[in-house]
Amino acid sequence: MQETHISLRRPFKRWWRETGWRHLVGAAVVLFSVFPLVYVFSASLNPGGTLITANNLFSSFSLESYFELFNRPQQPYAAWFLNTLFIGLSASAGSVLLGALAAYAFSRMRFTGRRFGLITLVLVQMFPQLLAMVAIFLLMLGIGEIFPAIGLNSQIGLIMVYLGGALGVNTYLMYGFFNTVPTSIDEAARIDGAGHARIFFTIILPLVSPILAVVALLSLVGTLSEFVIASVLLRDPERQTLAVGLYQFISQETSQNWSIFAAGAVLAAIIPVALFLLLQRYIVSGLVAGSVK
């Protein structure tokens, strides 16, 4: 009996029309995204110190810039790294906690001014925090005269500024996710005698963990890359963050060293990349699912 084989391969024109061009677009997007990363990494391995010598990718290989990065007393990179880690993690944790508390109140409680408060949060976020830079500086200067620990040139004060700036958008983002949690869960817990605090910490937070991970990562990345406010509020080099400190390597025209700057940028990228890989499962479910099973 003669067997018949059915070919499942599509003609090239049909394959290109349906899916082939998508692969080409995807490859172009990947190359466009990866090239800056490759260029910065190549510049960090080039001991020339200028971008002109780094144009030839991986033309030379040297770890001199990475070693010199930690051997400059006037530019303490290790202290900047620890400062950034402390400020970023503290601001991220505080943003998640305050945003979750506010979102829970707006989602589960009914009080006068609730709708007006939500609208105000959205309207305030329309104006960038940079517009309030002068007001923030004068406010921190005045606070520093009474409480120096949280005033100007204080890391705690900078964290408080970050918390205030991120509270609105984080609250509104979490509010939409909190609404997807059925209120019947709260009602069942209240019947068993649980109060708002117990419901929030033991029931609601585990259910909304995906959005917590998303807000934590976005807050951390935003804090690590923030430059303007940190450069104004932090004056001592030992207290500055990576974004402010790395600028010193290229700020002076006569002493620009792009190799060390690139090496510092490569090491600084380790924190957000590691956290993104760690929280990837929660991020995907938080952005795609948007509901509770």
Side-chain angles (χ1 to χ4, degrees):
M1 183 176 179
Q2 185 178 3
E3 296 182 358
T4 58
H5 297 277
I6 301 176
S7 178
L8 299 179
R9 296 184 58 183
R10 292 174 293 177
F12 177 77
K13 291 184 178 180
R14 180 182 175 186
W15 172 83
W16 175 259
R17 184 176 65 255
E18 294 179 354
T19 58
W21 65 272
R22 301 178 183 178
H23 294 281
L24 182 62
V25 173
V29 172
V30 170
L31 291 176
F32 182 79
S33 304
V34 171
F35 178 76
L37 305 179
V38 175
Y39 187 86
V40 171
F41 183 63
S42 174
S44 68
L45 299 176
N46 193 311
T50 63
L51 291 180
I52 297 177
T53 58
N55 286 337
N56 297 326
L57 296 179
F58 302 103
S59 58
S60 60
F61 184 87
S62 174
L63 297 178
E64 178 183 349
S65 299
Y66 289 91
F67 290 109
E68 188 177 355
L69 194 64
F70 294 93
N71 294 324
R72 292 196 168 196
Q74 301 297 331
Q75 297 164 330
Y77 182 84
W80 297 340
F81 195 94
L82 294 177
N83 294 339
T84 302
L85 198 61
F86 168 71
I87 294 174
L89 293 178
S90 300
S92 178
S95 298
V96 170
L97 179 60
L98 295 179
L101 289 171
Y104 176 80
F106 281 115
S107 176
R108 290 300 194 264
M109 302 178 184
R110 298 296 181 264
F111 51 89
T112 304
R114 171 177 169 273
R115 182 175 179 82
F116 177 77
L118 286 173
I119 297 176
T120 303
L121 289 176
V122 178
L123 293 178
V124 169
Q125 298 305 309
M126 295 174 59
F127 303 95
Q129 198 174 21
L130 184 61
L131 296 178
M133 193 64 258
V134 176
I136 292 175
F137 176 80
L138 295 177
L139 179 63
M140 299 303 294
L141 184 63
I143 293 176
E145 295 178 355
I146 303 175
F147 302 104
I150 59 175
L152 198 64
N153 198 30
S154 168
Q155 295 180 355
I156 303 298
L158 180 62
I159 293 173
M160 295 176 64
V161 172
Y162 286 153
L163 292 179
L167 182 60
V169 62
N170 292 339
T171 299
Y172 200 80
L173 183 63
M174 292 184 181
Y175 167 74
F177 203 95
F178 273 53
N179 287 339
T180 63
V181 179
T183 56
S184 58
I185 298 178
D186 302 38
E187 296 172 356
R190 290 195 191 93
I191 294 176
D192 293 336
H196 283 295
R198 186 175 182 85
I199 294 174
F200 175 76
F201 286 104
T202 63
I203 299 177
I204 301 299
L205 285 187
L207 294 177
V208 298
S209 57
I211 195 62
L212 300 182
V214 172
V215 171
L217 183 61
L218 294 178
S219 300
L220 179 62
V221 172
T223 303
L224 296 181
S225 60
E226 201 282 320
F227 173 80
V228 178
I229 298 179
S231 63
V232 173
L233 298 185
L234 299 179
R235 312 306 301 170
D236 294 341
E238 295 79 9
R239 297 174 180 266
Q240 292 175 343
T241 60
L242 280 175
V244 180
L246 287 177
Y247 181 68
Q248 298 181 15
F249 293 115
I250 58 174
S251 59
Q252 300 179 3
E253 186 176 356
T254 57
S255 61
Q256 289 182 349
N257 196 318
W258 289 93
S259 297
I260 298 181
F261 175 82
V266 171
L267 295 180
I270 295 177
I271 301 176
V273 171
L275 288 177
F276 179 83
L277 296 177
L278 181 64
L279 303 175
Q280 186 176 10
R281 177 168 61 92
Y282 299 98
I283 294 171
V284 173
S285 59
L287 294 177
V288 177
S291 62
V292 179
K293 294 182 180 179

Coordinates of all heavy atoms in Angstrom, one line a residue, residues 5 54 68 70 80 95 106 108-109 119 176 197 208 222 229 251-252 262 279 281 283 285:
H5 N 2.6 11.2 1.8 CA 3.2 12.2 2.8 C 2.7 13.6 2.4 O 2.8 14.0 1.3 CB 4.7 12.1 2.7 CG 5.3 10.8 3.0 ND1 5.5 10.4 4.3 CD2 5.7 9.7 2.3 CE1 6.0 9.2 4.3 NE2 6.1 8.7 3.1
A54 N 37.1 54.2 21.2 CA 36.2 53.1 21.5 C 35.3 52.8 20.3 O 34.4 51.9 20.4 CB 35.3 53.4 22.7
E68 N 40.8 50.9 38.3 CA 41.0 52.3 38.6 C 39.8 52.9 39.2 O 39.8 53.8 39.9 CB 41.4 53.0 37.3 CG 41.9 54.5 37.6 CD 42.4 55.2 36.4 OE1 42.5 54.5 35.3 OE2 42.6 56.4 36.5
F70 N 37.9 51.8 41.5 CA 37.9 51.7 43.0 C 39.2 52.2 43.6 O 39.4 52.0 44.8 CB 37.7 50.2 43.3 CG 36.4 49.6 42.9 CD1 36.3 49.0 41.7 CD2 35.3 49.8 43.7 CE1 35.0 48.5 41.3 CE2 34.1 49.2 43.4 CZ 33.9 48.6 42.1
W80 N 29.5 55.4 46.5 CA 28.3 55.7 45.7 C 27.5 54.5 45.4 O 26.2 54.6 45.4 CB 28.8 56.2 44.3 CG 29.6 57.5 44.4 CD1 29.6 58.4 45.4 CD2 30.5 58.0 43.4 NE1 30.4 59.5 45.2 CE2 31.0 59.3 43.9 CE3 30.9 57.6 42.2 CZ2 31.9 60.0 43.2 CZ3 31.8 58.4 41.5 CH2 32.3 59.6 42.0
S95 N 7.9 53.1 48.9 CA 6.9 53.4 47.9 C 5.8 52.3 47.8 O 4.6 52.6 47.6 CB 7.5 53.6 46.5 OG 8.4 54.7 46.5
F106 N -8.5 53.5 49.2 CA -9.3 54.0 48.2 C -10.2 52.9 47.6 O -11.3 53.1 47.1 CB -8.5 54.6 47.0 CG -8.0 56.0 47.3 CD1 -6.7 56.3 47.5 CD2 -8.9 57.1 47.5 CE1 -6.2 57.6 47.7 CE2 -8.5 58.4 47.7 CZ -7.1 58.6 47.9
R108 N -11.2 49.9 49.2 CA -12.1 49.2 50.1 C -12.9 50.1 51.0 O -13.9 49.6 51.6 CB -11.2 48.2 51.0 CG -10.6 47.1 50.2 CD -11.8 46.2 49.6 NE -11.3 45.0 49.2 CZ -11.0 44.7 47.9 NH1 -11.0 45.7 47.0 NH2 -10.6 43.5 47.5
M109 N -12.5 51.3 51.2 CA -13.2 52.2 52.1 C -14.0 53.3 51.4 O -13.6 53.7 50.3 CB -12.2 52.8 53.1 CG -11.4 51.9 53.9 SD -10.3 52.7 55.0 CE -9.4 51.3 55.8
I119 N -8.9 61.8 41.7 CA -8.7 62.7 40.5 C -7.5 63.6 40.8 O -6.7 63.9 39.9 CB -10.0 63.5 40.3 CG1 -11.1 62.6 39.9 CG2 -9.7 64.5 39.2 CD1 -12.4 63.3 39.7
G176 N -6.1 50.2 40.7 CA -6.8 49.4 39.7 C -6.6 47.9 39.9 O -7.6 47.1 39.7
A197 N -6.3 45.9 59.3 CA -4.9 45.6 59.3 C -4.6 44.1 59.0 O -3.7 43.8 58.2 CB -4.3 46.0 60.6
V208 N -2.1 40.4 45.8 CA -1.6 41.4 44.8 C -0.1 41.5 44.7 O 0.4 42.5 44.3 CB -2.2 42.8 45.3 CG1 -3.7 42.8 45.3 CG2 -1.7 43.2 46.6
G222 N 13.7 53.9 38.6 CA 13.6 55.3 38.6 C 14.5 56.0 39.6 O 15.1 57.1 39.3
I229 N 17.4 65.8 41.1 CA 17.1 66.0 42.5 C 18.2 65.6 43.4 O 18.6 66.3 44.3 CB 15.8 65.3 42.9 CG1 14.6 65.8 42.1 CG2 15.5 65.4 44.4 CD1 13.3 65.2 42.3
S251 N 32.4 65.4 33.5 CA 31.9 66.7 33.6 C 32.9 67.8 33.3 O 32.6 68.8 32.7 CB 31.3 67.0 35.0 OG 32.4 66.8 36.0
Q252 N 34.2 67.5 33.6 CA 35.3 68.4 33.3 C 35.9 68.1 32.0 O 36.3 67.0 31.7 CB 36.3 68.3 34.4 CG 35.8 68.6 35.8 CD 36.8 68.5 36.9 OE1 38.0 68.2 36.6 NE2 36.4 68.7 38.1
A262 N 32.2 54.4 31.5 CA 31.5 53.2 31.0 C 31.6 52.0 31.9 O 30.7 51.2 32.1 CB 32.1 52.8 29.6
L279 N 12.5 39.1 39.7 CA 11.1 39.4 39.8 C 10.3 39.2 38.5 O 9.2 39.6 38.4 CB 10.9 40.8 40.3 CG 11.5 41.2 41.7 CD1 11.3 42.7 41.9 CD2 10.9 40.4 42.8
R281 N 8.9 36.7 37.0 CA 7.7 35.9 37.1 C 6.5 36.8 37.6 O 5.4 36.7 37.1 CB 7.9 34.7 38.0 CG 6.7 33.8 38.1 CD 7.0 32.5 38.8 NE 7.6 32.7 40.1 CZ 7.0 32.7 41.2 NH1 5.6 32.6 41.2 NH2 7.6 32.9 42.4
I283 N 6.4 40.1 37.5 CA 6.2 41.2 36.7 C 5.3 40.8 35.5 O 4.4 41.5 35.1 CB 7.6 41.8 36.1 CG1 8.4 42.3 37.3 CG2 7.3 42.8 35.0 CD1 9.8 42.7 36.9
S285 N 3.1 38.3 35.4 CA 1.7 38.1 35.8 C 1.1 39.4 36.2 O -0.1 39.6 36.1 CB 1.8 37.1 37.0 OG 2.6 37.6 38.0

